[in-house]
């Protein structure tokens, strides 16, 4: 509870992943990862925030119209806890459908 979390993603898979601090993030660092970092809390609402008193948080996608060219792509997301970076969640896959 009370820790800062950051949800980020990859479109190039889950292995080998990357390390930040002592956390092993279970997806690859790629341009989509940079995008999720640069645009935190925009198209993924609540992708950066503070865990509640129960140690939980919720994020959601806000995909604007006109992004149909991404249909069929597979993305992987995980969150990390910060200060220190010492925990990463399991990856969750998301396929965009038309």
């Amino acid at each position: 509870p009370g820790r800062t979390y950051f949800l980020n993603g990859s479109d190039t898979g889950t292995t080998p992943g990357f390390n930040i601090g002592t956390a092993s993030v279970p997806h690859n660092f790629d341009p989509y990862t940079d995008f999720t970092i640069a645009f935190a809390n925009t198209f993924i609402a609540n992708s950066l925030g503070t865990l509640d008193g129960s140690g939980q948080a919720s994020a959601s996608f806000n995909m604007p119209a006109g992004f149909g060219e991404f249909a069929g792509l597979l993305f992987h997301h995980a969150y990390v806890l910060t200060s220190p970076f010492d925990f990463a969640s399991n990856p969750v896959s998301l396929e965009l459908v038309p």
Side-chain angles (χ1 to χ4, degrees), residues 6 8 11 27 38 52 77 83:
F6 184 64
N8 57 86
D11 65 357
H27 65 69
D52 68 16
H77 296 86
S83 300

Side-chain angles (χ1 to χ4, degrees), residues 39-92:
F39 296 99
N41 291 335
T42 57
F43 80 100
I44 304 176
N46 299 316
S47 61
L48 173 63
T50 304
L51 298 175
D52 68 16
S54 299
Q56 298 181 353
S58 179
S60 60
F61 283 86
N62 297 313
M63 189 62 75
F67 281 84
E69 67 270 15
F70 295 110
L73 290 179
L74 182 63
F75 297 88
H76 307 279
H77 296 86
Y79 68 87
V80 294
L81 297 181
T82 68
S83 300
F85 287 97
D86 62 354
F87 179 84
S89 72
N90 291 325
V92 174

